[in-house]
Amino acid sequence: MYAGKIVEMGPVDEIYGEPQHPYTKFLISSLPKIGDKEKKGSISGKPPSLVKPPAGCRFNPRCPFMMEVCKVEEPVLKEVRPDHHAACHLLG
Amino acid sequence: MSTLNSSILQIKDVTKVFKLGGLLFGSELSAVDHVSLEVGREKVLSLVGESGSGKTTLSRIILGLIEPTNGQILYEDLDIRNAKGRQLRRFRKEVQPIFQNPFETFNPFKRVDRYLLGSALGYKVANSKSEARRIVSEALDIVGLSYTMVEGQFPHEFSGGELQRVSIARALVTNPRLLIADEPVSMIDASTRMGILNILMDLRKRFSMSIVYITHDLDTAYYVSDQIAVMCRGCVVECGDVEDVLTDPVHPYTQMLLKCLPEPDPTRRWEGHIELAGLEVKEYETAGCKFSKRCPNSEDKCLKERPPDVEVESRSGYRFVKCWKCVREGV
Ligand SMILES: Nc1ncnc2c1ncn2[C@@H]1O[C@H](COP(=O)(O)OP(=O)(O)OP(=O)(O)O)[C@@H](O)[C@H]1O
Ligand SMILES: [Mg+2]
């Protein structure tokens, strides 16, 4: 969930193993884990205002893969696998 | 255990007994029970344990906010219970807290910049308004903010992550040597938590600060700390180098905490309390090992007698575990 919208949902294992949405991907790669001393980053930028969220995809100002369409059109949840949905314009 | 001056803080056999009210009126609970620990210079010590294990109580004793029933806290060889005047002021400047909820740290009706300037003047780290402003600006820069970003703003105008940065800046105003951070990221948006933890780690490197990091979350404890102390009902049951303790836990309680780590769900894990409310008081009252009522290896002795600290061999400093099984079978 990001800025009040579900960006991805599905089986926990699958989301952890193969996240589809750029936000989920980042979130999971940035989680520290016992046994892994590597420095973890945080997503640059800050969570958007919920009163006036960004137009289009709410994650677009922080997304490294942002395209023109992301600024105007809000992506809808699409089924990427059985029972696994994600809302991102990258996922055709 | 201690070599002279290798540690900035020494916790010596500290106990805090609370008298209970309500239904349990008349009974007592040792929220912190004969705890001895040291915080190394420029080191991060994590205090971990399930809810109600005495972490916050211990942190408030370290900060001098509650008096221990027994035992001593030595900050740089200063017994904080006896600190007065100039020494007490020095202690208050050099040992700074960071709390869980940044919205409770600040006065909701006071502009954040005024609050910070007030801190600089109140602690007498600045003698004039312009000096205070310079010190506050520097502190805000360190946490990735700037004076203009906070000027004229009230706490509710910030996100939790931003305000937690401001509260770290507040702590930095006095140029502290030791930070006591009690669950500093558990209320922060998942996407900005690592930013805050990275700030804490930078502080330690850039300014040689020492940190006590209190958390439920073993993964972040592993990420930020050098040493770790695992608390169960007021007792430290296992303590040592974080790599040793979390990758090769010896105490059954530590093993349970590692197993009980909630499913890797970034939104749920941080609220993950492994609470057993009814058991809590009973466990506190146990004469023996506090974990004996839940321990799979429990024997009669475990229920009746307090286990001693057993040294565990380690290449990275002193490591111990409080467990009768280790006495019986060795480690
Ligand atoms: N002022 C008090 N009077 C009586 N009992 C108290 C008081 N403060 C804390 N306790 C009890 O002491 C025990 C330890 O509490 P403490 O808040 O230190 O635990 P904690 O490890 O910080 O828990 P959490 O992870 O939930 O923050 C609990 O059983 C708590 O109910
Ligand atoms: Mg607490």
Side-chain angles (χ1 to χ4, degrees):
Chain A
M1 187 144 120
Y2 183 75
K5 291 267 170 189
I6 289 172
V7 297
E8 182 160 0
M9 60 187 192
V12 171
D13 289 353
E14 214 174 289
I15 290 195
Y16 270 81
E18 290 168 78
Q20 299 294 315
H21 195 282
Y23 173 69
T24 329
K25 277 188 187 160
F26 195 89
L27 203 56
I28 287 161
S29 71
S30 76
L31 289 176
K33 265 227 125 335
I34 292 170
D36 174 10
K37 276 276 177 189
E38 201 180 306
K39 180 146 181 164
K40 302 287 181 181
S42 62
I43 305 180
S44 59
K46 58 174 189 173
S49 150
L50 293 181
V51 189
K52 244 181 72 190
C57 172
R58 293 180 175 203
F59 188 54
N60 90 68
R62 299 170 83 185
C63 184
F65 310 109
M66 196 264 294
M67 306 175 290
E68 281 310 308
V69 59
C70 307
K71 290 193 273 188
V72 281
E73 197 184 312
E74 185 168 343
V76 293
L77 282 170
K78 281 176 218 126
E79 187 156 33
V80 284
R81 300 267 169 81
D83 278 335
H84 184 162
H85 295 74
C88 174
H89 289 301
L90 284 171
L91 306 164
Chain B
M1 180 168 165
S2 98
T3 39
L4 198 63
N5 274 334
S6 69
S7 48
I8 188 165
L9 186 84
Q10 288 170 267
I11 299 167
K12 292 193 150 174
D13 202 25
V14 165
T15 295
K16 177 69 195 181
V17 177
F18 285 121
K19 298 211 173 354
L20 299 179
L23 280 177
L24 298 161
F25 184 80
S27 53
E28 293 182 338
L29 169 158
S30 297
V32 175
D33 199 340
H34 296 282
V35 168
S36 295
L37 287 171
E38 295 188 10
V39 183
R41 224 167 270 286
E42 297 174 38
K43 298 281 183 209
V44 181
L45 168 73
S46 281
L47 290 180
V48 303
E50 58 197 340
S51 196
S53 52
K55 306 180 296 295
T56 295
T57 305
L58 182 57
S59 77
R60 296 176 67 81
I61 293 172
I62 296 170
L63 287 163
L65 299 174
I66 40 185
E67 241 188 64
T69 313
N70 268 306
Q72 248 185 339
I73 302 287
L74 296 180
Y75 170 71
E76 299 279 23
D77 298 326
L78 169 72
D79 182 339
I80 65 163
R81 204 199 292 233
N82 304 329
K84 288 193 199 69
R86 206 164 51 88
Q87 285 182 320
L88 183 61
R89 280 198 298 278
R90 181 182 150 209
F91 172 77
R92 295 236 168 100
K93 270 195 221 170
E94 294 188 1
V95 184
Q96 284 286 333
I98 295 164
F99 298 110
Q100 178 171 19
N101 184 349
F103 293 96
E104 284 171 6
T105 304
F106 294 92
N107 177 341
F109 305 111
K110 196 159 177 183
R111 292 182 213 295
V112 163
D113 54 329
R114 300 251 176 97
Y115 184 94
L116 294 171
L117 293 176
S119 274
L121 293 165
Y123 280 106
K124 295 197 170 62
V125 287
N127 294 312
S128 66
K129 262 200 130 165
S130 63
E131 201 183 358
R133 189 177 159 129
R134 182 181 56 77
I135 289 169
V136 169
S137 301
E138 278 174 15
L140 287 164
D141 284 345
I142 293 169
V143 299
L145 298 170
S146 68
Y147 198 90
T148 45
M149 284 166 83
V150 306
E151 198 161 14
Q153 308 268 45
F154 288 99
H156 68 263
E157 296 179 88
F158 293 91
S159 72
E162 284 171 330
L163 198 62
Q164 193 62 302
R165 282 172 194 250
V166 180
S167 78
I168 296 173
R170 185 212 58 81
L172 297 181
V173 160
T174 61
N175 193 18
R177 309 314 312 147
L178 174 64
L179 297 177
I180 312 292
D182 191 348
E183 304 272 9
V185 294
S186 58
M187 294 183 66
I188 307 301
D189 179 86
S191 64
T192 42
R193 262 172 214 153
M194 293 315 291
I196 306 256
L197 290 178
N198 286 335
I199 290 173
L200 291 179
M201 292 174 78
D202 280 353
L203 290 176
R204 174 261 196 105
K205 268 209 208 97
R206 280 174 66 192
F207 305 102
S208 311
M209 286 181 200
S210 312
I211 301 175
V212 176
Y213 174 67
I214 296 167
T215 186
H216 281 89
D217 185 77
L218 300 178
D219 285 305
T220 59
Y222 179 85
Y223 185 70
V224 303
S225 53
D226 303 290
Q227 304 288 118
I228 189 167
V230 183
M231 291 186 74
C232 175
R233 308 297 176 221
C235 293
V236 173
V237 296
E238 181 159 7
C239 178
D241 178 87
V242 72
E243 187 76 42
D244 289 347
V245 172
L246 292 184
T247 61
D248 182 22
V250 174
H251 200 285
Y253 174 76
T254 315
Q255 292 170 355
M256 180 203 74
L257 289 181
L258 280 158
K259 269 197 225 116
C260 278
L261 271 186
E263 281 295 298
D265 172 346
T267 56
R268 226 180 44 202
R269 64 205 250 124
W270 296 79
E271 289 92 54
H273 285 209
I274 323 159
E275 201 167 2
L276 292 148
L279 246 178
E280 185 171 334
V281 173
K282 280 210 186 101
E283 288 194 331
Y284 265 115
E285 285 171 347
T286 309
C289 170
K290 304 283 182 190
F291 190 57
S292 56
K293 289 193 176 0
R294 279 186 276 165
C295 183
N297 312 322
S298 220
E299 291 184 6
D300 201 40
K301 190 170 196 162
C302 304
L303 294 158
K304 293 195 177 123
E305 272 178 65
R306 190 65 55 90
D309 290 350
V310 182
E311 185 163 356
V312 182
E313 203 187 318
S314 160
R315 273 172 296 142
S316 28
Y318 186 70
R319 177 177 182 189
F320 73 83
V321 59
K322 228 185 219 54
C323 176
W324 280 119
K325 181 164 185 264
C326 298
V327 177
R328 291 196 294 267
E329 298 169 15
V331 244

